[in-house]
Amino acid sequence: MAPGQRAVIDLEVAQLYTHTPLSIPIEVINGAKEGPVLLVNAAIHGDELNGVEAVRQLLGRIDESRLKGTVVAVPVVNVFGLIHKSRYLPDRRDLNRCFPGSERGSIAGRLAYQFFNQVVKHCNYVIDLHTGAIHRSNLPQIRANLSNETTSEIAHAFGTPIIIDAVLRDGSLRAIAEEHSIPVITYEGGEALRFDPIPIAAAVEGVMRVMRLLGMLRKTRKKSPITPVIARSTSWVRAEQNGILRSQVTLGDRVDKGQVLAFISDPLGRSEVEVKAPREGIVIGIQTLPLVNEGDAIVHIAFFYAENRLVQETVETYIDEVMEQAGEELVMSSMLG
């Protein structure tokens, strides 16, 4: 593939019952000048759609004649899951717990094996785009192994308000890639099975910032992104009884110890409990379905070394900037359309 060109590749990973081939769509943008190889992939969980749209928008913003290096864009890794609007594969396995996979394994193992060996191993850096699970929404955030200096650098460059120093989970793309000295950051934003403009815009702009850090794009004179705040730990607050959930907080809110996060009642309102924050922190994830069973995770809180008031201000500033950026993109799209 010559410099300054694009190519679309269909990586065949399996067959349907009808023997119809099933392929992962990949677009490779080879820059006019040499540089690093960056993989941007989405929908490892097939119902997480924000990343699919973010990759599409990203492809429209990259000019191969001004690009140094190569971008490998994979909008849908778990093609089975996308077809069925499901997080999982037909064998009910989570693809992000199956790496490095197996050439002779289950569907999940084979897909993981092909994607890792045919795509990931040929890249220098990876940005893995995710959303919250079904009926759960996440504040835009990066999860990364910050003990890896290079990973930490690209995590900070991405520019979300919060970075979670997350342990490497066995079988995850992050874990196996870092075993092969390929730094990976995981972006989380929004909810499964829907498009959310703010997390999508945040993902696109974050990838562009990483590309500038890596020297793949020329740096701009835009004001520097906010300085992310690192969470020292996170915890889900769970429902204390079955019933109807009425949340009292939203993503990015600062909560104090003992503050009421939600009420859970029976449909007639005769029995009601308060769900309270166990300690001070910032809301980074929330259940969006108002029907809960006892033990369900309903509010995800991050805890920081920094003052929570300052973290909340950082989050609010970030959301304002992303909304402004998203608005500019919509205006430009309408003018070009």
Side-chain angles (χ1 to χ4, degrees):
M1 185 173 166
Q5 291 188 346
R6 295 178 179 233
V8 175
I9 301 167
D10 289 321
L11 175 63
E12 186 175 334
V13 291
Q15 289 185 336
L16 300 175
Y17 300 122
T18 58
H19 282 213
T20 303
L22 193 63
S23 302
I24 296 175
I26 303 170
E27 183 161 345
V28 179
I29 307 175
N30 198 21
K33 297 182 180 179
E34 291 186 359
V37 180
L38 172 66
L39 168 63
V40 183
N41 66 261
I44 277 183
H45 297 130
D47 59 357
E48 297 183 358
L49 305 182
N50 278 336
V52 179
E53 173 62 10
V55 172
R56 186 196 69 79
Q57 291 186 19
L58 179 70
L59 288 169
R61 290 184 61 177
I62 297 175
D63 181 350
E64 55 269 30
S65 67
R66 298 184 179 183
L67 176 67
K68 292 182 180 179
T70 302
V71 174
V72 180
V74 185
V76 182
V77 179
N78 183 355
V79 286
F80 280 103
L82 185 82
I83 289 170
H84 296 286
K85 305 181 186 70
S86 170
R87 177 184 181 89
Y88 303 107
L89 285 146
D91 54 4
R92 296 301 299 168
R93 297 185 69 182
D94 183 335
L95 181 58
N96 209 27
R97 297 293 179 267
C98 294
F99 288 98
S102 169
E103 192 173 13
R104 297 177 180 273
S106 66
I107 291 174
R110 290 172 186 242
L111 199 161
Y113 179 87
Q114 291 292 336
F115 181 63
F116 182 71
N117 285 278
Q118 299 297 326
V119 181
V120 179
K121 285 176 69 172
H122 300 281
C123 301
N124 302 121
Y125 306 91
V126 179
I127 299 176
D128 184 18
L129 304 178
H130 287 258
T131 76
I134 189 168
H135 303 313
R136 289 184 187 170
S137 186
N138 283 338
L139 182 76
Q141 60 196 258
I142 287 290
R143 298 178 183 179
N145 172 26
L146 299 184
S147 64
N148 181 317
E149 184 176 348
T150 303
T151 302
S152 180
E153 287 179 0
I154 62 175
H156 281 78
F158 196 97
T160 57
I162 291 170
I163 297 175
I164 299 173
D165 190 0
V167 297
L168 296 173
R169 294 183 177 229
D170 291 343
S172 68
L173 176 61
R174 282 202 305 130
I176 191 61
E178 293 217 5
E179 282 183 17
H180 289 75
S181 301
I182 304 170
V184 181
I185 59 173
T186 299
Y187 169 78
E188 292 274 356
E191 182 180 354
L193 291 178
R194 64 183 66 242
F195 279 172
D196 190 327
I198 291 176
I200 291 170
V204 175
E205 192 57 41
V207 174
M208 301 290 281
R209 290 192 189 107
V210 171
M211 292 175 68
R212 294 186 191 104
L213 171 76
L214 299 176
M216 301 177 73
L217 297 176
R218 182 180 299 175
K219 293 184 178 179
T220 67
R221 294 184 178 180
K222 290 183 179 179
K223 62 182 178 180
S224 300
I226 60 168
T227 301
V229 184
I230 299 172
R232 55 190 172 93
S233 63
T234 70
S235 178
W236 277 98
V237 179
R238 297 183 177 273
E240 299 176 7
Q241 73 171 32
N242 307 314
I244 310 297
L245 175 74
R246 304 195 316 278
S247 293
Q248 304 299 300
V249 294
T250 190
L251 293 175
D253 281 357
R254 175 175 63 86
V255 296
D256 297 319
K257 181 177 180 179
Q259 178 178 334
V260 175
L261 303 175
F263 297 100
I264 302 174
S265 66
D266 66 89
L268 295 175
R270 293 178 177 272
S271 171
E272 181 173 86
V273 298
E274 297 177 340
V275 180
K276 297 182 179 180
R279 50 203 284 206
E280 187 180 24
I282 300 292
V283 177
I284 62 168
I286 196 164
Q287 174 160 323
T288 58
L289 181 69
L291 308 176
V292 297
N293 290 309
E294 185 176 359
D296 283 353
I298 55 176
V299 181
H300 198 190
I301 302 177
F303 311 109
F304 301 87
Y305 291 108
E307 289 186 18
N308 289 291
R309 176 182 56 80
L310 298 178
V311 179
Q312 185 183 29
E313 290 175 359
T314 299
V315 171
E316 290 173 350
T317 300
Y318 174 82
I319 296 299
D320 288 344
E321 290 178 355
V322 171
M323 290 180 67
E324 181 180 348
Q325 178 67 30
E328 290 175 359
E329 292 296 326
L330 289 172
V331 170
M332 289 299 295
S333 297
S334 63
M335 291 174 65
L336 294 173

